[in-house]
Amino acid sequence: MPMAIALQARCVFLGAPGAGKGTQAKQVADAAALAHISTGDMLRQEVAAGSELGKQAKGYMDAGKLVPDEVIIGMVRARIAQPDAKAAWILDGFPRTITQAEALDRSLTGESALTHVIYFAVPEAALIGRLAGRRTCSQCGAIWHVENKPTKRADKCDACGGDLVQRSDDRPEAIGKRLEVYRSQTAPLLAYYRDRSVLRELDANRAPEVVYQELLKLMQ
Ligand code: AMP
């Protein structure tokens, strides 16, 4: 259990796939009791449940492409309106396009406006190794890595004993596409948020504990 901390942030974690946004978001959200809103996790739950939305999204996800803006924007609007997300939250993996960022701006005004956008900077060469070796617990969602963060027993989660799985979009065929989509559709958000003076850059190419401490400072 991480040490409890006081933070009232409404922030976006921005960065390429594999930059460590999800790992850090889980930890900060637990410690500061913020709602952790991961559009990737929400979509994977829809796919697992076999819902209509999940069926629509699966093909895009497996191919490493973005799910259409109108689907994602509706899903996030509904999630942010829920009671646990009124005061403070982390958006992890959203927005990923300028259209999504503009829609978010329109939904958040006055007291609900964004407080920070944290950019997780990691060189592309490091991202490929991080994604290819990533394993996720099918039971509790904990994130591991075959080399950088191995579990005691291969294929079993140290936290809960659940089976570890490789995400279908972490296979080599999809990784290249996801990085290309990031460069062309998501990286322009850096300039978008820099222009609005909310962007804070984090060197995320370091050990997770070091990144976490730095992140807490940036989120104050
Ligand atoms: P993630 O877990 O954030 O890497 O997301 C996994 C996949 O879900 C992405 O490769 C996209 O196919 C889809 N996805 C997640 N968030 C978004 C978003 N904001 N816009 C479009 N597609 C998304």
Side-chain angles (χ1 to χ4, degrees), residues 187-207:
L189 291 177
L190 293 174
Y192 179 91
Y193 285 123
R194 200 172 281 127
D195 288 349
R196 284 158 181 76
S197 306
V198 283
L199 189 75
R200 300 183 183 190
E201 182 162 339
L202 173 63
D203 172 2
N205 195 25
R206 296 177 290 176

Side-chain angles (χ1 to χ4, degrees), residues 17-18 21 38-41 43-44 57-58 60-69 72-73 75-76 92-97 100 131 134 167 169-170 178 181:
K21 305 183 298 293
S38 157
T39 44
D41 285 350
L43 290 169
R44 281 183 287 279
K58 188 173 181 340
Y60 295 100
M61 295 170 77
D62 285 348
K65 295 183 184 161
L66 295 185
V67 172
D69 284 335
I72 294 287
I73 290 168
M75 191 178 84
V76 171
D92 162 15
F94 179 95
R96 262 172 151 103
T97 63
Q100 292 179 14
L131 290 167
R134 176 161 68 179
R167 280 172 43 172
D169 58 352
D170 280 345
R178 289 166 70 206
V181 165

